[in-house]
Every structure is written in structure tokens, then in C-alpha cells.
Amino acid sequence: MATQASWSSKIGFILAAAGSAIGLGAIWKFPYTAGTNGGAVFFLMFLVFTVLVALPVQLAEFYIGRTSGKNAVDAFKTLAPNTAWPWIGRMGVAACFVLLSFYSVVGGWVVNYAVHALTGEIRAGADFEALFGATIANPWSVLLYQGVFMLLTVWVVKGGISDGIEKANRYMMPALFVLFVVLAVRSLTLPGAAQGVEFLLKPDWSHFTPHTMLTALGQAFFALSIGVSTMITYASYLSKKEDLFRSGNSIMWMNLLVSLLAGLVIFPAVFAFGFEPSQGPGLIFIVLPAVFMKIPFGEVLFAVFMLLVAFATLTSAFSMLETVIAAAIRQDESKRRNRTWLIGSAIFIVGIPSALSFGVLGEWKVFGKTVFDLWDYIITALIMPISSFFVALFVAWLRDRQSVLADAGEGSTVPKAVIRLWLNMLRYVAPVAILLVFAHTLGWI
């Protein structure tokens, strides 16, 4: 008989969902995107869009998952039987499979850098641009570390919800926050750090452009891990007595706090040593090592930082793999161990061309993009906004309004007016915002 897994506590769900959301979005993508889009103005827009647009969609995914109590595909089959809506769930599951196949490549880089830092290869005077180039171009090294990253992910997820994912996040998420605070304090005490704080927190309105707004809106969706069914899956393990709105609020603010801490670790240090904040994706791999090497005990602090990034990267990977596993085992936990090893191995194999996209397959292009860039584009530019759009429509327009308000509000102590506001934001604001991001990403506006 199938047995449904569940979280052992509310805090376990919050830490796991926050871990899914935080990942590379907050620690890697937010700093370099903010750095290339004016800093404080981007951060302010990101904050507004996270609260007003991304959070309502995240709560909609929570509603679908908890109300159905099923995986991403069966959730839509339960709530909208004999319709095409389960294809939204299938799209999310497929997206997680593909997303993890190339996300694990970046996760492998992070683990590789953590090893470099711990063994002393990252030291003052090293050519960090050359080191990063060699790291991502060496086929055997990149596949080895991608394999290590997937092995760690499979090892945790095969343990299940409470014994695997929840237990890992109980240790990793608090450790992440503590390490971040330590690094932020160190960065803020550097001479000249105030310029970096000003860059992050004092808006320069000359950067207030449609492009910055739409980029911030896209980052808000990416940062809360919506549009790939992970939040539907995690919420399916919740009991009806849990407060979805307070949980969603906690997860959102934890994500914003980590984004802020990432900025306070990186930008004061970058400005203190005369580097440019607009370095792009190589910021944590090329610029930050050079910055840390100028700080007393910099080698140790950089090793700590990369360990922290590895933690955050893994917590996101857990949610992606769990979304696929949940759909594969359909509540029968006896199948979990074997299916996790099988699917984890398949994801690794599918990820091999992405891993080699910066080396031996660098010249192999599909529609003008490497395999890595193509998958990234398909997931983040197409599937995430499309899925988020249809989730918003499904909950706000297809489902009966009164039943949505009742089911979403079950176990909640927030005022009913707040729940009605959420549904109205989901009805009128979120779909328009998602369409704008979609059109902007495709270059239509």
C-alpha cells in the first residue's frame, strides 16, 4: 500500500522550502545581476516584485500541493480531472529534470572551488581568471565534480522527506546564515566598505529603466523557485493545519535576507579593493577570490564562503530531484531508494553535454547556443514563466473562488482580507507581470 511522506515539523518545511528558493539564485545570480543593473535600484525593484508578484504565485503552488496532497502531476489530476491541466505538472517535472542536469554542473564548479580553497590552491597571486577557465574546461575534472554533486544530492533525497531532505536542511540552512553573518561583518569592517553598502542600499535613479525593472521581476521569480513545481511538491507533504501564508512569508523574507547578506558580503569587499561590481556571472569565481586574498585570513574565509555556496546549491538540488522522484513513486515510499539512484544517474548522464559545453563541446551549438546555454534559456526564459502564468490562472480563475479562499486559509491565522488580497494579486497583477517578463526575455519588449 502506498504511504505518503510528510514533514515532521513546520520549521522543517520552511527550512527546506527556503533552501530550495535560496540556492544559486540568491548567492550567485543576485549579486552579479544587481552589480550589472545599478545595485540599489535593482534591489528595491526586486524587493517590491518579490512581495507583490512572486510571493502570490508561490502561495498558489503551496495551495495546489497541500489541497491535493499529491505530486505535481497527480495534483492537477486530482483538482482538475479529465483535463489537460496535468501537463503543467508534467512540464514542471520535466523542467526539474533538465534544470538539475545543468544546475549540477555549476554545483560541481562550486564543490571544485571549495576543494581548491580547502587545499590551498586559491592563494594570493594566483591567476583566478585562468583558474576558472581551466576549472570549467577540463572534461574529466568537471564530470568528476558534477558526479560528486549529484551523488550528494541523491544520497540525501533517497532518505526521504523527514530523514533525508528535512534533516539535511536543519543543519545546512542555519549554518548558511551563521557563516553569511560572519562574512558580512568581516566585509563591512574593511576600509572603504561604505561605498559598497551605498551601492547596494542607496538608489541611483538613473538606473531606473524598464530593462532594470523587468530584470528584477525575472530575478524575483527565479529567486523564489517558482514555475518548476518544486513548491507544489514540497507543499504536498504539509498537513491542513499548517499556515500557508505565514510559511510563505517566512520563506520569502529568509530569501530576501540571504540576498541582502550576499550583497553585504560581496559589494563592500569589491569596492574596498577597487574592483568593478559589474563583472557578471564570473563574480564569485574570479573577482571574489582576488578580493578575499587581500583580506587577513582570506584563504580561510574564501573556503568558508565556497562551503556556504555549496550548501545553498545542494539545498536547491534536493528540491529539484524530489519533484521528479515524487512524480515517479506516486506516494509509494518503498520505491524511493531505487528510483532515486536510477533517476539521479539519468540526470547525470543528460548533464554530460552541459558539463562539456565550456570545453570539448564548446563549439557545438544548437540555435547558436551551447547545450548548457540552450537548456538554461529553455527553462528560465520559457518554462518558468509559462508554468507560473498557468498556475496563476488555474488557482485564481479556474478554481471556485470561495473554495480557494477556504482551502488556502485553512489553518491560517492571517486576516481574511489578506487572503482575499492574495487572490486578487494572483488574478490581476501576477499574470500581467509574468507576460511582461516573458516578452522581455524573448526580446519582444
Side-chain angles (χ1 to χ4, degrees):
M1 182 179 174
T3 55
Q4 169 72 323
S6 64
W7 303 106
S8 67
S9 65
K10 177 183 175 181
I11 191 65
F13 165 68
I14 289 174
L15 289 175
S20 170
I22 287 168
L24 288 177
I27 298 177
W28 176 52
K29 193 172 184 181
F30 171 77
Y32 86 71
T33 309
T36 53
N37 286 277
V41 167
F42 175 85
F43 184 47
L44 181 62
M45 292 295 99
F46 168 64
L47 175 66
V48 170
F49 290 137
T50 298
V51 175
L52 297 183
V53 183
L55 178 61
V57 177
Q58 184 190 62
L59 290 169
E61 292 197 353
F62 284 176
Y63 159 81
I64 292 170
R66 192 185 69 168
T67 302
S68 66
K70 300 288 177 63
N71 66 74
V73 178
D74 290 341
F76 286 99
K77 287 183 178 179
T78 300
L79 299 178
N82 303 315
T83 67
W85 283 101
W87 282 102
I88 301 301
R90 292 187 185 101
M91 185 165 63
V93 172
C96 277
F97 186 100
V98 174
L99 178 56
L100 186 53
S101 76
F102 69 84
Y103 186 92
S104 60
V105 175
V106 184
W109 299 349
V110 171
V111 174
N112 194 345
Y113 255 61
V115 172
H116 282 328
L118 291 167
T119 56
E121 287 180 69
I122 295 181
R123 58 188 184 278
D127 184 339
F128 298 114
E129 192 161 351
L131 177 64
F132 181 60
T135 297
I136 65 175
N138 184 319
W140 299 112
S141 173
V142 80
L143 288 175
L144 170 66
Y145 282 102
Q146 180 202 3
V148 169
F149 184 85
M150 280 305 304
L151 191 63
L152 291 169
T153 304
V154 167
W155 187 261
V156 169
V157 173
K158 76 175 178 59
I161 292 301
S162 58
D163 289 335
I165 295 171
E166 184 174 343
K167 192 174 288 183
N169 277 287
R170 275 183 178 273
Y171 293 104
M172 294 169 82
M173 290 305 293
L176 186 148
F177 278 99
V178 170
L179 292 175
F180 246 139
V181 169
V182 169
L183 289 172
V185 169
R186 183 67 194 95
S187 190
L188 289 168
T189 54
L190 292 170
Q195 193 179 353
V197 177
E198 188 175 299
F199 176 77
L200 182 64
L201 300 179
K202 185 179 179 182
D204 174 356
W205 295 106
S206 67
H207 293 284
F208 185 67
T209 64
H211 173 79
T212 300
M213 290 179 67
L214 289 167
T215 304
L217 185 55
Q219 176 65 18
F221 283 116
F222 189 83
L224 280 192
S225 194
I226 56 178
V228 287
S229 299
T230 55
M231 293 303 166
I232 294 175
T233 304
Y234 271 12
S236 72
Y237 302 124
L238 280 175
S239 74
K240 301 291 186 184
K241 65 182 181 182
E242 298 296 348
D243 190 329
L244 293 186
F245 289 87
R246 293 195 185 279
S247 295
N249 193 51
S250 299
I251 292 159
M252 178 193 71
W253 287 111
M254 286 171 73
N255 182 68
L256 289 171
L257 177 60
V258 169
S259 297
L260 175 62
L261 285 171
L264 291 176
V265 168
I266 292 168
F267 293 123
V270 166
F271 277 94
F273 296 109
F275 288 92
E276 283 296 319
S278 55
Q279 292 288 325
L283 186 66
I284 69 168
F285 295 108
I286 299 170
V287 178
L288 277 194
V291 169
F292 273 95
M293 292 312 107
K294 295 177 180 290
I295 302 172
F297 308 108
E299 292 180 24
V300 174
L301 290 173
F302 184 71
V304 169
F305 178 78
M306 291 313 297
L307 195 61
L308 177 156
V309 178
F311 281 2
T313 311
L314 281 165
T315 55
S316 291
F318 299 157
S319 67
M320 296 176 209
L321 183 55
E322 177 58 29
T323 300
V324 183
I325 298 304
I329 65 174
R330 304 189 70 180
Q331 297 182 287
D332 187 351
E333 288 295 310
S334 66
K335 298 177 181 177
R336 175 176 288 275
R337 184 179 291 266
N338 289 340
R339 296 285 172 91
T340 305
W341 282 113
L342 183 66
I343 291 169
S345 300
I347 289 171
F348 171 76
I349 292 168
V350 170
I352 289 174
S354 295
L356 302 179
S357 289
F358 302 90
V360 294
L361 294 183
E363 298 302 313
W364 188 42
K365 303 288 178 70
V366 182
F367 301 117
K369 297 179 184 293
T370 64
V371 175
F372 182 99
D373 289 337
L374 180 67
W375 284 136
D376 186 19
Y377 182 79
I378 289 172
I379 301 299
T380 58
L382 302 178
I383 291 182
M384 287 176 110
I386 290 171
S387 178
S388 297
F389 179 76
F390 281 107
V391 163
L393 291 187
F394 180 78
V395 175
W397 292 99
L398 186 78
R399 302 287 294 165
D400 176 70
R401 179 183 174 86
Q402 293 307 314
S403 69
V404 169
L405 291 171
D407 291 340
E410 190 174 353
S412 179
T413 57
V414 301
K416 286 185 169 48
V418 172
I419 302 175
R420 287 195 295 271
L421 176 63
W422 158 69
L423 193 55
N424 285 328
M425 295 295 290
L426 196 64
R427 277 190 159 209
Y428 303 111
V429 178
V432 174
I434 294 165
L435 288 176
L436 286 173
V437 171
F438 187 65
H440 175 65
T441 307
L442 294 180
W444 295 346
I445 59 174

